[in-house]
Amino acid sequence: MTVNQTSNRGIEVPLEAVQQAFDTLRQIKTRLAERGWFPATSGNLSVKVAYGETPVIAITASGKDKAVHTPEDFLLVDENGVPVAPTELKPSAETAVHTALYRKFSECGAVFHVHTVSNNLVSDLYGDDGAVTFTNHELIKALGHWEEGASVTVPIVLNHTHIPALAAAVERVASWDSRGVLIRNHGIYAWGEDAFSALRHLEAWEFLFEYEIKRRLLMSR
Ligand SMILES: CSCCC(=O)C(=O)COP(=O)(O)O
Ligand SMILES: [Zn+2]
């Protein structure tokens, strides 16, 4: 059965694809919430539903407790972050960061954002350097680097309160290779060609951040 949801801009999105995107977001949301990665309603998730000239993005609604599931957790926005159909829901306050990443990387299929103690600490400890590099970790392979002695670098940007400025800063430093950008004392944006890859990248970065914090604690004893 193919039922189409037609947007206020005349964009047709197959209902099945929308349902699949919402199901994917719900599964990811559940998994990350179980880890406590959405404290105090923070964090947001999106997946691309329709590719091509008029991409449609399924994204979390703003200000929700992401550990709680309701029928009003997600909505569809266009490439400018505008809801594609009339809705009471507000897209994530940080939608512009998501749309900036989809604009920069046409192959990007999912963008996930979480606030954790580890990513905040690493972003602050290395914020003045503008980036932090990791080497000699098996999990670097999860970020797509399988070569001997590979290293991975995640850029760090200032936490602009003006979201368009934040989105522009993330877009400026993001590279497909890094698969993530840290926002200082705020959190990480990680992405991938699909939800599975974006989740792998997010978890790999969070592992490296937690390792780094624990390593520094042990070294300081
Ligand atoms: C309460 S956390 C401040 C906003 C934020 O950084 C965040 O990730 C959540 O915003 P959203 O609008 O997506 O709920
Ligand atoms: Zn945030």
Side-chain angles (χ1 to χ4, degrees):
M1 181 178 67
T2 310
V3 182
N4 290 333
Q5 173 165 326
T6 307
S7 78
N8 49 7
R9 285 182 46 202
I11 305 166
E12 284 213 345
V13 189
L15 207 57
E16 279 175 15
V18 175
Q19 203 52 59
Q20 200 177 16
F22 286 6
D23 285 348
T24 300
L25 287 177
R26 182 156 290 117
Q27 283 165 24
I28 302 283
K29 196 163 78 76
T30 303
R31 176 152 163 171
L32 301 184
E34 280 167 4
R35 298 183 162 201
W37 285 3
F38 294 130
T41 73
S42 64
N44 33 71
L45 311 170
S46 72
V47 293
K48 194 147 68 177
V49 183
Y51 288 71
E53 281 177 26
T54 51
V56 172
I57 296 152
I59 193 161
T60 44
S62 183
K64 304 269 180 179
D65 179 349
K66 278 92 187 181
V68 174
H69 300 310
T70 78
E72 303 196 315
D73 288 339
F74 314 113
L75 68 157
L76 298 177
V77 296
D78 65 15
E79 74 274 27
N80 300 312
V82 177
V84 301
T87 174
E88 297 284 293
L89 299 179
K90 276 202 295 185
S92 166
E94 295 170 356
T95 296
V97 183
H98 293 251
T99 53
L101 289 166
Y102 288 118
R103 186 168 51 245
K104 181 156 188 177
F105 306 121
S106 57
E107 64 271 56
C108 186
V111 176
F112 301 151
H113 168 61
V114 295
H115 300 200
T116 66
V117 173
S118 296
N119 70 34
N120 274 245
L121 281 168
V122 167
S123 75
D124 201 27
L125 286 165
Y126 295 94
D128 288 346
D129 300 333
V132 54
T133 298
F134 295 89
T135 47
N136 295 323
H137 281 280
E138 180 67 11
L139 244 74
I140 287 176
K141 290 176 181 167
L143 290 158
H145 299 272
W146 289 73
E147 63 280 12
E148 191 77 34
S151 67
V152 284
T153 299
V154 60
I156 307 168
V157 298
L158 278 179
N159 186 25
H160 301 273
T161 46
H162 183 58
I163 299 300
L166 179 65
V170 170
E171 187 174 1
R172 201 174 311 119
V173 300
S175 72
W176 186 255
D177 217 32
S178 76
R179 284 130 168 122
V181 170
L182 272 173
I183 304 169
R184 192 166 183 171
N185 285 325
H186 178 158
I188 188 171
Y189 273 89
W191 58 84
E193 55 269 35
D194 52 27
F196 179 80
S197 312
L199 181 63
R200 188 180 67 234
H201 300 153
L202 176 66
E203 291 186 342
W205 278 125
E206 288 296 326
F207 175 94
L208 295 171
F209 300 151
E210 196 178 332
Y211 177 96
E212 177 62 6
I213 297 307
K214 289 183 173 163
R215 186 186 69 80
R216 286 177 73 123
L217 275 172
L218 286 171
M219 302 277 282
S220 69
R221 288 189 175 178

mmCIF file of all heavy atoms in Angstrom, residues 7-9 11 54-59 75-85 95 98-99 102:
data_model
loop_
_atom_site.group_PDB
_atom_site.id
_atom_site.type_symbol
_atom_site.label_atom_id
_atom_site.label_comp_id
_atom_site.label_asym_id
_atom_site.label_seq_id
_atom_site.Cartn_x
_atom_site.Cartn_y
_atom_site.Cartn_z
ATOM 1 N N SER A 7 2.749 17.487 1.431
ATOM 2 C CA SER A 7 3.097 18.607 2.299
ATOM 3 C C SER A 7 2.464 19.901 1.801
ATOM 4 O O SER A 7 1.918 19.958 0.704
ATOM 5 C CB SER A 7 4.609 18.771 2.321
ATOM 6 O OG SER A 7 5.028 19.407 1.140
ATOM 7 N N ASN A 8 2.603 20.935 2.636
ATOM 8 C CA ASN A 8 2.072 22.224 2.226
ATOM 9 C C ASN A 8 2.876 22.832 1.079
ATOM 10 O O ASN A 8 2.504 23.840 0.516
ATOM 11 C CB ASN A 8 1.985 23.201 3.416
ATOM 12 C CG ASN A 8 3.268 23.239 4.207
ATOM 13 O OD1 ASN A 8 4.267 22.633 3.800
ATOM 14 N ND2 ASN A 8 3.252 23.913 5.344
ATOM 15 N N ARG A 9 4.020 22.224 0.735
ATOM 16 C CA ARG A 9 4.784 22.678 -0.433
ATOM 17 C C ARG A 9 4.604 21.729 -1.607
ATOM 18 O O ARG A 9 5.333 21.784 -2.597
ATOM 19 C CB ARG A 9 6.267 22.773 -0.080
ATOM 20 C CG ARG A 9 6.578 23.983 0.783
ATOM 21 C CD ARG A 9 8.051 24.066 1.081
ATOM 22 N NE ARG A 9 8.855 23.859 -0.100
ATOM 23 C CZ ARG A 9 10.130 23.465 -0.085
ATOM 24 N NH1 ARG A 9 10.718 23.223 1.043
ATOM 25 N NH2 ARG A 9 10.803 23.306 -1.198
ATOM 26 N N ILE A 11 5.249 18.602 -1.607
ATOM 27 C CA ILE A 11 6.197 17.492 -1.606
ATOM 28 C C ILE A 11 5.441 16.239 -1.195
ATOM 29 O O ILE A 11 4.751 16.241 -0.181
ATOM 30 C CB ILE A 11 7.349 17.743 -0.604
ATOM 31 C CG1 ILE A 11 8.035 19.077 -0.880
ATOM 32 C CG2 ILE A 11 8.349 16.604 -0.619
ATOM 33 C CD1 ILE A 11 8.953 19.553 0.253
ATOM 34 N N THR A 54 14.415 17.859 -3.166
ATOM 35 C CA THR A 54 13.649 18.357 -2.021
ATOM 36 C C THR A 54 13.723 17.338 -0.888
ATOM 37 O O THR A 54 12.777 16.578 -0.672
ATOM 38 C CB THR A 54 12.179 18.614 -2.406
ATOM 39 O OG1 THR A 54 11.691 17.434 -3.044
ATOM 40 C CG2 THR A 54 12.024 19.821 -3.268
ATOM 41 N N PRO A 55 14.855 17.325 -0.166
ATOM 42 C CA PRO A 55 14.973 16.364 0.928
ATOM 43 C C PRO A 55 13.940 16.628 2.008
ATOM 44 O O PRO A 55 13.587 17.776 2.261
ATOM 45 C CB PRO A 55 16.389 16.581 1.454
ATOM 46 C CG PRO A 55 16.817 17.904 0.960
ATOM 47 C CD PRO A 55 16.033 18.191 -0.272
ATOM 48 N N VAL A 56 13.449 15.576 2.600
ATOM 49 C CA VAL A 56 12.529 15.681 3.733
ATOM 50 C C VAL A 56 13.199 14.983 4.907
ATOM 51 O O VAL A 56 13.764 13.896 4.756
ATOM 52 C CB VAL A 56 11.164 15.048 3.401
ATOM 53 C CG1 VAL A 56 10.278 14.994 4.640
ATOM 54 C CG2 VAL A 56 10.471 15.839 2.298
ATOM 55 N N ILE A 57 13.161 15.641 6.050
ATOM 56 C CA ILE A 57 13.891 15.160 7.229
ATOM 57 C C ILE A 57 12.909 14.884 8.357
ATOM 58 O O ILE A 57 12.075 15.743 8.678
ATOM 59 C CB ILE A 57 14.929 16.225 7.655
ATOM 60 C CG1 ILE A 57 15.973 16.415 6.545
ATOM 61 C CG2 ILE A 57 15.601 15.858 8.971
ATOM 62 C CD1 ILE A 57 16.596 17.788 6.519
ATOM 63 N N ALA A 58 12.997 13.694 8.948
ATOM 64 C CA ALA A 58 12.223 13.375 10.150
ATOM 65 C C ALA A 58 13.093 13.747 11.342
ATOM 66 O O ALA A 58 14.258 13.338 11.418
ATOM 67 C CB ALA A 58 11.890 11.882 10.186
ATOM 68 N N ILE A 59 12.530 14.551 12.268
ATOM 69 C CA ILE A 59 13.343 15.087 13.362
ATOM 70 C C ILE A 59 12.542 15.086 14.664
ATOM 71 O O ILE A 59 11.296 15.116 14.636
ATOM 72 C CB ILE A 59 13.839 16.511 13.005
ATOM 73 C CG1 ILE A 59 14.940 16.979 13.971
ATOM 74 C CG2 ILE A 59 12.683 17.527 12.938
ATOM 75 C CD1 ILE A 59 15.784 18.127 13.434
ATOM 76 N N LEU A 75 8.455 14.925 13.782
ATOM 77 C CA LEU A 75 7.739 15.595 12.698
ATOM 78 C C LEU A 75 8.654 15.678 11.478
ATOM 79 O O LEU A 75 9.836 15.328 11.568
ATOM 80 C CB LEU A 75 7.280 16.987 13.131
ATOM 81 C CG LEU A 75 8.352 18.060 13.375
ATOM 82 C CD1 LEU A 75 7.707 19.444 13.230
ATOM 83 C CD2 LEU A 75 8.963 17.929 14.759
ATOM 84 N N LEU A 76 8.079 16.123 10.376
ATOM 85 C CA LEU A 76 8.848 16.232 9.132
ATOM 86 C C LEU A 76 9.147 17.693 8.838
ATOM 87 O O LEU A 76 8.261 18.550 8.961
ATOM 88 C CB LEU A 76 8.050 15.659 7.954
ATOM 89 C CG LEU A 76 7.677 14.181 8.012
ATOM 90 C CD1 LEU A 76 6.817 13.814 6.797
ATOM 91 C CD2 LEU A 76 8.929 13.299 8.050
ATOM 92 N N VAL A 77 10.393 17.958 8.440
ATOM 93 C CA VAL A 77 10.756 19.313 8.012
ATOM 94 C C VAL A 77 11.425 19.242 6.646
ATOM 95 O O VAL A 77 11.892 18.177 6.228
ATOM 96 C CB VAL A 77 11.707 20.014 9.022
ATOM 97 C CG1 VAL A 77 11.029 20.219 10.364
ATOM 98 C CG2 VAL A 77 13.026 19.252 9.174
ATOM 99 N N ASP A 78 11.454 20.407 5.969
ATOM 100 C CA ASP A 78 12.148 20.451 4.676
ATOM 101 C C ASP A 78 13.616 20.830 4.891
ATOM 102 O O ASP A 78 14.094 20.921 6.021
ATOM 103 C CB ASP A 78 11.420 21.387 3.710
ATOM 104 C CG ASP A 78 11.454 22.850 4.171
ATOM 105 O OD1 ASP A 78 12.252 23.193 5.067
ATOM 106 O OD2 ASP A 78 10.665 23.648 3.629
ATOM 107 N N GLU A 79 14.307 21.090 3.787
ATOM 108 C CA GLU A 79 15.749 21.352 3.870
ATOM 109 C C GLU A 79 16.066 22.658 4.596
ATOM 110 O O GLU A 79 17.209 22.906 4.974
ATOM 111 C CB GLU A 79 16.377 21.336 2.468
ATOM 112 C CG GLU A 79 16.076 22.542 1.584
ATOM 113 C CD GLU A 79 14.769 22.419 0.790
ATOM 114 O OE1 GLU A 79 13.845 21.698 1.255
ATOM 115 O OE2 GLU A 79 14.673 23.059 -0.270
ATOM 116 N N ASN A 80 15.041 23.496 4.798
ATOM 117 C CA ASN A 80 15.233 24.745 5.549
ATOM 118 C C ASN A 80 14.753 24.632 6.997
ATOM 119 O O ASN A 80 14.723 25.628 7.726
ATOM 120 C CB ASN A 80 14.489 25.893 4.859
ATOM 121 C CG ASN A 80 15.006 26.105 3.448
ATOM 122 O OD1 ASN A 80 16.217 26.180 3.245
ATOM 123 N ND2 ASN A 80 14.108 26.181 2.479
ATOM 124 N N GLY A 81 14.327 23.440 7.383
ATOM 125 C CA GLY A 81 13.875 23.237 8.757
ATOM 126 C C GLY A 81 12.434 23.650 8.986
ATOM 127 O O GLY A 81 11.990 23.741 10.141
ATOM 128 N N VAL A 82 11.681 23.873 7.912
ATOM 129 C CA VAL A 82 10.276 24.275 8.035
ATOM 130 C C VAL A 82 9.394 23.021 7.969
ATOM 131 O O VAL A 82 9.588 22.181 7.072
ATOM 132 C CB VAL A 82 9.891 25.249 6.882
ATOM 133 C CG1 VAL A 82 8.413 25.616 6.956
ATOM 134 C CG2 VAL A 82 10.774 26.492 6.931
ATOM 135 N N PRO A 83 8.442 22.890 8.922
ATOM 136 C CA PRO A 83 7.555 21.710 8.868
ATOM 137 C C PRO A 83 6.889 21.595 7.496
ATOM 138 O O PRO A 83 6.429 22.593 6.939
ATOM 139 C CB PRO A 83 6.530 21.988 9.973
ATOM 140 C CG PRO A 83 7.274 22.842 10.952
ATOM 141 C CD PRO A 83 8.169 23.723 10.111
ATOM 142 N N VAL A 84 6.846 20.375 6.957
ATOM 143 C CA VAL A 84 6.313 20.197 5.605
ATOM 144 C C VAL A 84 4.787 20.117 5.597
ATOM 145 O O VAL A 84 4.170 20.159 4.541
ATOM 146 C CB VAL A 84 6.907 18.954 4.894
ATOM 147 C CG1 VAL A 84 8.411 19.038 4.792
ATOM 148 C CG2 VAL A 84 6.476 17.675 5.578
ATOM 149 N N ALA A 85 4.193 19.978 6.783
ATOM 150 C CA ALA A 85 2.726 19.940 6.883
ATOM 151 C C ALA A 85 2.323 20.672 8.158
ATOM 152 O O ALA A 85 3.119 20.755 9.098
ATOM 153 C CB ALA A 85 2.248 18.490 6.918
ATOM 154 N N THR A 95 17.432 22.444 14.864
ATOM 155 C CA THR A 95 17.178 21.894 13.521
ATOM 156 C C THR A 95 18.166 22.451 12.490
ATOM 157 O O THR A 95 18.599 21.736 11.584
ATOM 158 C CB THR A 95 15.725 22.203 13.100
ATOM 159 O OG1 THR A 95 14.841 21.523 13.995
ATOM 160 C CG2 THR A 95 15.436 21.757 11.687
ATOM 161 N N HIS A 98 21.177 20.359 12.004
ATOM 162 C CA HIS A 98 20.889 19.159 11.198
ATOM 163 C C HIS A 98 20.833 19.510 9.711
ATOM 164 O O HIS A 98 21.473 18.852 8.887
ATOM 165 C CB HIS A 98 19.556 18.543 11.630
ATOM 166 C CG HIS A 98 19.568 17.968 13.017
ATOM 167 N ND1 HIS A 98 19.520 16.609 13.271
ATOM 168 C CD2 HIS A 98 19.624 18.568 14.242
ATOM 169 C CE1 HIS A 98 19.545 16.395 14.585
ATOM 170 N NE2 HIS A 98 19.599 17.573 15.186
ATOM 171 N N THR A 99 20.070 20.552 9.386
ATOM 172 C CA THR A 99 19.903 20.876 7.956
ATOM 173 C C THR A 99 21.233 21.333 7.344
ATOM 174 O O THR A 99 21.499 21.072 6.176
ATOM 175 C CB THR A 99 18.799 21.937 7.746
ATOM 176 O OG1 THR A 99 19.068 23.074 8.574
ATOM 177 C CG2 THR A 99 17.429 21.383 8.083
ATOM 178 N N TYR A 102 23.055 18.116 6.496
ATOM 179 C CA TYR A 102 22.476 17.468 5.294
ATOM 180 C C TYR A 102 22.833 18.262 4.034
ATOM 181 O O TYR A 102 23.049 17.692 2.969
ATOM 182 C CB TYR A 102 20.954 17.346 5.438
ATOM 183 C CG TYR A 102 20.521 16.308 6.455
ATOM 184 C CD1 TYR A 102 19.799 16.680 7.586
ATOM 185 C CD2 TYR A 102 20.834 14.956 6.290
ATOM 186 C CE1 TYR A 102 19.395 15.740 8.527
ATOM 187 C CE2 TYR A 102 20.439 14.007 7.234
ATOM 188 C CZ TYR A 102 19.717 14.408 8.349
ATOM 189 O OH TYR A 102 19.341 13.466 9.274
#
